[in-house]
Amino acid sequence: MTTTLLRLRYTGKVAELSVEDRSGLMERSTSTDEAVSTTVTGILRDVRTRGDEALRELARVHDRVELGALEVPRSAWREAFAGTAPDVRRAMERAARHIEVAHAAWVPRAGRVEVAPGVVVGRRPDPLGRVGVYAPGGRAVYPSSVLMGAIPARVAGVGEVFVCSPPGPTGLPAAAVLAAAEIAGVDRVFALGGAGAVAAMAFGTASVPRVDRIVGPGNAWVAEAKLQVAGAVSIDSPAGPSECLVIGATRSEAVRIAREVVAQAEHDPRACALAVVYGDGAEAQAVRVVGAIADLLVEAPRAEVIVESLATRGGVLVARDAEEALTFAADYAPEHLVLATADASALLPRVRNAGTVFVGESSSNSFGDYLTGANHILPTGGLARSYSGLSTLDFVRWTTWQEVTAVGAASLAHDVAVFAEAEGLPGHAAAARAWEGVS
């Protein structure tokens, strides 16, 4: 790989971005891709209509494999776990422990409040019955996504946890994915990938039971499929191609910024990897960052993927100061935001709209991808403006309850009746007035 092949889609000053470039940066949703949307619609319809037969056909076309049973036998998980290199197993088991500890701290709690004498309202979190976790395959395999999706579900008390992951040449998902399923204690694994897997979990087939919620990251087709089935089953967020925004100052180490950009770009040609540097001398710092990226590409095993990603969605931009950089970040709403500055802790309270934030130069995005215990299943495409990262909150539904004593009913009766009559609902008013004067 030579440095001459490096080309960044976005460069220059944040304040001088063209309307076209700013729109390209902010509008990253894969749902704007008509070809993706149309293809996914067809796949969903086919799986809903033909079930397992359609899933096997998708495997033949896209995975180049003939599937017999769609479900992976438990013996295959155990064999994969036993065959996992000891150091890899230790790393996965450590990640599992950290995820469990972190998410146990975030388990939602029931609550009740007496809003008036004799009038009590409350909410309680009830675990979902069945959840499906999607673990991507293809250019890379993601056993970490199995852990990130399944362990919080287990912590929340979900009844059954399924995993879907694309089959390899043997007809089974990657061995690392199966080993992670064993570590996470999931109930069933299916050798299914892409939009077809999402359809199977959303609608159910003869082999794949319908789930109550689908979680997990994926490519553009998976993200689009989740959006399209959201009317039939709940989803975590439309987590599509990975993305990262790194904010650095002129005194930040250029090579550290560059490493974060390269690490994100290697995920996928559609990944978004961007850096914004600010302060006096920021333009010179931007040049140093670009040079450091080029140097890293020389030895990068996934250089081809990185080059394509940076050429289509990557960039190094310059901001006047921290305020302009943070304002840009709030508009960009990245999946991952890295504050690679000496004063990162002071900047954190001013951050808005990020899936997760890495605070300080030593807080590499890579640590969050695997071992901090925080979740790496996060909203992409600017949807961090309205969605949050996966947590135990995603694996419960809330039951609201209300208890009104006779004394409470008497205190509410008149005002409720007045309200109901104002809305033209005399039956409501009569039901309330029946309690007037009751003690």
Side-chain angles (χ1 to χ4, degrees), residues 232-408:
V233 64
S234 71
I235 64 171
D236 50 352
S237 66
S242 195
E243 55 189 44
C244 181
L245 171 61
V246 187
I247 292 180
T250 53
R251 294 187 179 182
S252 303
E253 288 192 41
V255 70
R256 292 191 188 279
I257 297 173
R259 285 194 187 109
E260 297 300 311
V261 171
V262 167
Q264 198 61 217
E266 77 172 354
H267 271 290
D268 189 286
R270 289 174 173 255
C272 304
L274 201 66
V276 175
V277 294
Y278 68 86
D280 294 336
E283 290 186 56
Q285 173 73 324
V287 171
R288 288 191 290 272
V289 171
V290 173
I293 293 171
D295 290 342
L296 292 171
L297 279 173
V298 174
E299 301 296 333
R302 294 173 64 84
E304 185 177 345
V305 174
I306 297 166
V307 166
E308 186 175 350
S309 168
L310 295 178
T312 55
R313 297 193 173 195
V316 177
L317 298 171
V318 174
R320 288 189 305 272
D321 50 28
E323 191 61 37
E324 185 176 57
L326 290 171
T327 298
F328 174 83
D331 291 341
Y332 189 71
E335 178 189 22
H336 307 96
L337 176 62
V338 180
L339 301 178
T341 68
D343 62 345
S345 294
L347 297 181
L348 178 60
R350 296 156 62 187
V351 168
R352 296 293 180 273
N353 305 341
T356 191
V357 186
F358 297 87
V359 186
E361 287 185 278
S362 57
S363 299
S364 172
N365 189 352
S366 295
F367 296 139
D369 277 350
Y370 298 104
L371 278 175
T372 64
N375 214 292
H376 78 199
I377 299 175
L378 304 161
T380 63
L383 289 169
R385 299 183 190 94
S386 50
Y387 286 90
S388 304
L390 194 72
S391 75
T392 47
L393 285 170
D394 290 280
F395 298 107
V396 302
R397 59 164 302 283
W398 291 88
T399 297
T400 301
W401 55 271
Q402 304 158 65
E403 183 179 3
V404 182
T405 66
V407 170

Side-chain angles (χ1 to χ4, degrees), residues 58-363:
L58 287 166
R60 280 194 295 273
V61 173
H62 297 287
D63 303 308
R64 296 185 176 87
V65 65
E66 289 286 344
L67 293 180
L70 303 182
E71 184 171 357
V72 180
R74 191 65 181 254
S75 59
W77 315 3
R78 292 174 178 151
E79 183 179 343
F81 176 75
T84 302
D87 57 341
V88 176
R89 188 189 308 174
R90 280 194 300 271
M92 288 200 291
E93 289 174 335
R94 184 181 182 189
R97 290 195 302 273
H98 290 186
I99 295 165
E100 183 173 1
V101 168
H103 288 76
W106 303 328
V107 171
R109 310 294 179 189
R112 66 189 297 279
V113 60
E114 189 173 36
V115 300
V119 182
V120 178
V121 294
R123 293 183 91 208
R124 72 163 192 261
D126 295 327
L128 298 178
R130 183 183 294 140
V131 164
V133 178
Y134 186 79
R139 289 184 174 86
V141 296
Y142 295 95
S144 55
S145 292
V146 175
L147 303 179
M148 295 287 179
I151 292 173
R154 281 292 183 221
V155 170
V158 170
E160 293 181 281
V161 181
F162 297 170
V163 168
C164 284
S165 194
T170 65
L172 299 176
V177 166
L178 295 178
E182 180 70 12
I183 291 170
V186 306
D187 294 288
R188 301 174 72 176
V189 177
F190 297 91
L192 298 172
V198 174
M201 290 188 284
F203 307 130
T205 72
S207 297
V208 186
R210 180 175 180 168
V211 303
D212 301 319
R213 170 162 280 205
I214 299 171
V215 305
N219 59 20
W221 288 267
V222 170
E224 176 64 19
K226 287 170 68 179
L227 282 172
Q228 290 194 26
V229 302
V233 64
S234 71
I235 64 171
D236 50 352
S237 66
S242 195
E243 55 189 44
C244 181
L245 171 61
V246 187
I247 292 180
T250 53
R251 294 187 179 182
S252 303
E253 288 192 41
V255 70
R256 292 191 188 279
I257 297 173
R259 285 194 187 109
E260 297 300 311
V261 171
V262 167
Q264 198 61 217
E266 77 172 354
H267 271 290
D268 189 286
R270 289 174 173 255
C272 304
L274 201 66
V276 175
V277 294
Y278 68 86
D280 294 336
E283 290 186 56
Q285 173 73 324
V287 171
R288 288 191 290 272
V289 171
V290 173
I293 293 171
D295 290 342
L296 292 171
L297 279 173
V298 174
E299 301 296 333
R302 294 173 64 84
E304 185 177 345
V305 174
I306 297 166
V307 166
E308 186 175 350
S309 168
L310 295 178
T312 55
R313 297 193 173 195
V316 177
L317 298 171
V318 174
R320 288 189 305 272
D321 50 28
E323 191 61 37
E324 185 176 57
L326 290 171
T327 298
F328 174 83
D331 291 341
Y332 189 71
E335 178 189 22
H336 307 96
L337 176 62
V338 180
L339 301 178
T341 68
D343 62 345
S345 294
L347 297 181
L348 178 60
R350 296 156 62 187
V351 168
R352 296 293 180 273
N353 305 341
T356 191
V357 186
F358 297 87
V359 186
E361 287 185 278
S362 57
S363 299

Side-chain angles (χ1 to χ4, degrees), residues 117-119 403-417 426-439:
V119 182
E403 183 179 3
V404 182
T405 66
V407 170
S411 74
L412 298 179
H414 177 74
D415 286 342
V416 169
H428 283 64
R433 287 196 190 281
W435 289 95
E436 284 189 295
V438 174
S439 59

